């Protein structure tokens, strides 16, 4: 509060000094103008008043000189007195205006200072009151500052919520395999579980889950922070797709899911990192395979639209409810809250894919007709014309 009082005092003083300077400059201009213009104008008017015959003119001039001298002195005194009174009135008005205006300016700043202290203490739901100008759609400088402050606070609140959610999700993901490993080891130590290959295989499988989770978290952190440099080069996307699908076809055949490819002819190249785009394609095709039952099909289509290459991975699988679509690329988000990840990945593959696509200047999204209607994951990449 002491600091705010000092700020207000300094602002009031600066406003007051600026007003006083304006008044002094205006008064100086008035005084100089009066000194230059008033004598000439006064003489001109007096000459007109003393006109007539020569004799009467000379007598009038003699009497007029004496009267004019007295009148001119009185006139100058009147002008100086009027300017002095006007200056004093302007001085008082400047003082009152500087106090009122400084209060109007400092009050929103004081509120923002108090709110920023609450935010610094971790209260991210704190907001400041928007001035009336913000409601008109054309806020002034203070209104824009208040809007920006509230937007910053909202972003910080969202970041804090995501941080807490991430900690909870990671804790949950780690707890399940650790509990299984610990339970198995205690069973072996107590002699409850037999030391069979199946027991050790179960422990090894859970340890592998932990390793995959840690690796994916490290990968996500590096990709989102930009710590992974992209090796960009002109790339034939159709050739990359042939390579990726060639490695995945045995898995599709083993599950009994048909993989269709539909790639447009004469596609332009993309400026991309081959390894990173392979990672995106493997993730999308792997998810489609995982959630498509035996006898279903997965289609991968590539075409050129508005100077962007569009890649679509569609399946005839379980589908996704509409309310879940906006959250699919969030870390650890589950469509089925009761589903275990034992048969799936770490739950952050789509998040990594999103970061990779966006780092290439593209966009990724998901579509679905609902449960049982399959789903489509699409992403775009800027085309490069040679």
């Amino acid at each position: 509060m002491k600091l705010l009082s000092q700020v207000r005092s300094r602002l009031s003083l600066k406003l007051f000094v600026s007003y006083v300077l304006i008044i002094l400059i205006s008064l100086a201009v008035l005084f100089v103008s009066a000194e230059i213009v008033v004598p000439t104008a006064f003489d001109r008017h007096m000459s007109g008043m003393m006109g007539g015959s020569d004799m009467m003119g000379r007598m009038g001039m003699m009497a007029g000189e004496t009267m004019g001298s007295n009148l001119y002195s009185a006139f100058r005194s009147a002008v100086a007195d009027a300017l002095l009174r006007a200056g004093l009135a302007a001085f008082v008005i400047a003082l009152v205006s500087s106090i009122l205006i400084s209060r109007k300016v400092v009050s929103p700043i004081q509120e923002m200072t108090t709110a920023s202290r609450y935010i610094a203490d971790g209260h991210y739901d704190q907001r400041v009151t928007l001035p009336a100008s913000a409601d008109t759609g054309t806020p002034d400088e203070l209104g824009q500052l208040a809007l920006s402050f509230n937007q910053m606070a909202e972003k910080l609140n969202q970041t804090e919520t995501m941080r807490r959610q991430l900690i909870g999700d990671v804790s949950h993901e780690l707890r399940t395999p650790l509990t299984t490993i610990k339970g198995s080891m205690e069973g072996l130590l107590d002699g409850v579980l037999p030391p069979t290959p199946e027991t050790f295989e179960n422990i090894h499988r859970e340890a592998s889950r932990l390793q995959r989770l840690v690796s994916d978290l490290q990968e996500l952190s590096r990709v989102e922070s930009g710590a992974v440099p992209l090796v960009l080069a002109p790339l034939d996307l159709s050739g990359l797709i042939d390579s990726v699908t060639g490695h995945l076809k045995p898995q599709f055949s083993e599950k009994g899911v048909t993989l269709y490819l539909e790639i447009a002819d004469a596609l332009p190249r993309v400026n991309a990192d081959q390894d990173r785009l392979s990672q995106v394609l493997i993730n999308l095709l792997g998810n489609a395979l995982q959630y498509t039952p035996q006898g279903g099909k997965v289609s991968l289509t590539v075409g050129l639209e508005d100077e962007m290459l569009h890649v679509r991975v569609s399946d005839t699988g379980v589908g996704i409810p509409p309310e879940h679509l906006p959250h699919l690329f969030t870390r650890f988000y589950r469509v089925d809250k009761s589903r275990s990840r034992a048969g799936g990945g770490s739950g952050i593959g789509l998040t990594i894919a999103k970061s990779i696509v966006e780092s290439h200047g593209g966009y990724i999204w998901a579509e679905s007709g609902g449960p049982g209607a399959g789903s489509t994951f699409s992403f775009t990449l800027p085309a490069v014309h040679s």
Side-chain angles (χ1 to χ4, degrees):
M1 295 300 293
K2 182 178 180 181
L3 178 60
L4 290 173
S5 177
Q6 293 175 352
V7 171
R8 178 180 294 175
S9 299
R10 288 196 297 268
L11 183 58
S12 299
L13 179 60
K14 289 180 180 179
L15 289 173
F16 176 68
V17 171
S18 65
Y19 294 152
V20 169
L21 287 175
I22 294 173
I23 293 171
L24 292 177
I25 293 173
S26 301
L27 287 175
V29 172
L30 286 174
F31 272 113
V32 172
S33 300
E35 288 294 329
I36 296 174
V37 177
V38 168
T40 304
F42 184 80
D43 290 340
R44 185 173 62 252
H45 286 288
M46 288 300 294
S47 297
M49 291 173 60
M50 298 303 170
S53 63
D54 294 341
M55 187 65 180
M56 293 296 295
R58 286 195 293 270
M59 292 176 63
M61 287 180 62
M62 293 174 63
E65 287 179 358
T66 303
M67 183 179 65
S69 178
N70 295 332
L71 184 60
Y72 179 66
S73 298
F75 178 72
R76 287 192 62 179
S77 299
V79 170
D81 184 62
L83 291 176
L84 180 61
R85 291 175 184 271
L88 290 175
F91 183 85
V92 174
I93 293 173
L95 178 61
V96 175
S97 299
S98 64
I99 295 175
L100 295 177
I101 293 176
S102 64
R103 287 183 177 178
K104 184 178 180 181
V105 171
V106 170
S107 294
I109 298 177
Q110 179 179 356
E111 185 180 0
M112 277 184 268
T113 303
T114 303
S116 65
R117 290 177 178 174
Y118 276 104
I119 291 176
D121 292 335
H123 304 286
Y124 297 107
D125 56 345
Q126 186 70 27
R127 300 292 183 274
V128 297
T129 304
L130 296 178
S133 61
D135 299 331
T136 63
T138 56
D140 56 14
E141 288 77 7
L142 286 176
Q144 293 175 2
L145 180 60
L147 284 171
S148 298
F149 184 91
N150 285 345
Q151 291 172 357
M152 177 199 69
E154 181 63 26
K155 290 292 184 181
L156 288 174
N157 192 29
Q158 293 176 0
T159 301
E160 177 64 14
T161 301
M162 292 178 62
R163 184 188 68 83
R164 293 176 179 175
Q165 182 179 356
L166 177 61
I167 292 175
D169 290 337
V170 172
S171 300
H172 176 78
E173 294 296 326
L174 292 175
R175 185 182 300 113
T176 302
L178 286 174
T179 300
T180 302
I181 292 173
K182 181 180 179 181
S184 298
M185 295 304 298
E186 288 177 349
L188 287 172
L189 292 174
D190 295 338
V192 177
L193 285 178
T196 60
E198 289 78 11
T199 301
F200 292 114
E201 177 64 26
N202 184 45
I203 296 174
H204 182 268
R205 182 169 57 251
E206 296 300 326
S208 297
R209 286 183 60 196
L210 279 176
Q211 186 178 20
R212 287 197 305 270
L213 176 60
V214 172
S215 298
D216 287 344
L217 285 172
Q218 289 177 335
E219 179 73 7
L220 177 62
S221 176
R222 294 170 59 205
V223 170
E224 288 189 333
S225 64
V228 179
L230 296 178
V231 183
L232 300 178
L235 179 66
D236 180 10
L237 195 57
S238 59
L240 177 64
I241 291 174
D242 289 338
S243 176
V244 170
T245 54
H247 287 89
L248 293 178
K249 279 182 179 179
Q251 300 179 30
F252 279 84
S253 299
E254 182 179 354
K255 189 175 181 179
V257 176
T258 305
L259 176 61
Y260 291 93
L261 298 180
E262 184 178 344
I263 303 175
D265 297 328
L267 287 175
R269 294 174 177 265
V270 294
N271 195 35
D273 186 314
Q274 179 173 340
D275 293 336
R276 293 299 168 185
L277 280 190
S278 297
Q279 188 175 356
V280 173
L281 291 171
I282 291 173
N283 182 278
L284 297 182
L285 289 170
N287 283 346
L289 175 62
Q290 180 179 350
Y291 296 110
T292 301
Q294 183 178 8
K297 68 175 183 178
V298 174
S299 301
L300 193 157
T301 61
V302 185
L304 180 65
E305 301 176 19
D306 299 327
E307 299 302 317
M308 301 286 285
L309 265 70
H310 284 243
V311 181
R312 296 180 177 87
V313 178
S314 304
D315 62 64
T316 58
V318 297
I320 304 169
E323 64 272 16
H324 294 287
L325 291 175
H327 310 289
L328 291 178
F329 299 94
T330 304
R331 304 178 189 92
F332 301 111
Y333 186 81
R334 300 188 186 195
V335 174
D336 184 357
K337 303 298 181 182
S338 63
R339 181 180 296 160
S340 170
R341 296 203 188 278
S346 61
I348 57 178
L350 288 176
T351 310
I352 295 175
K354 179 176 181 290
S355 298
I356 293 174
V357 170
E358 290 180 350
S359 67
H360 281 80
Y363 181 67
I364 188 170
W365 70 97
E367 301 169 286
S368 177
S375 57
T376 300
F377 286 83
S378 308
F379 67 89
T380 63
L381 293 172
V384 176
H385 296 278
S386 56

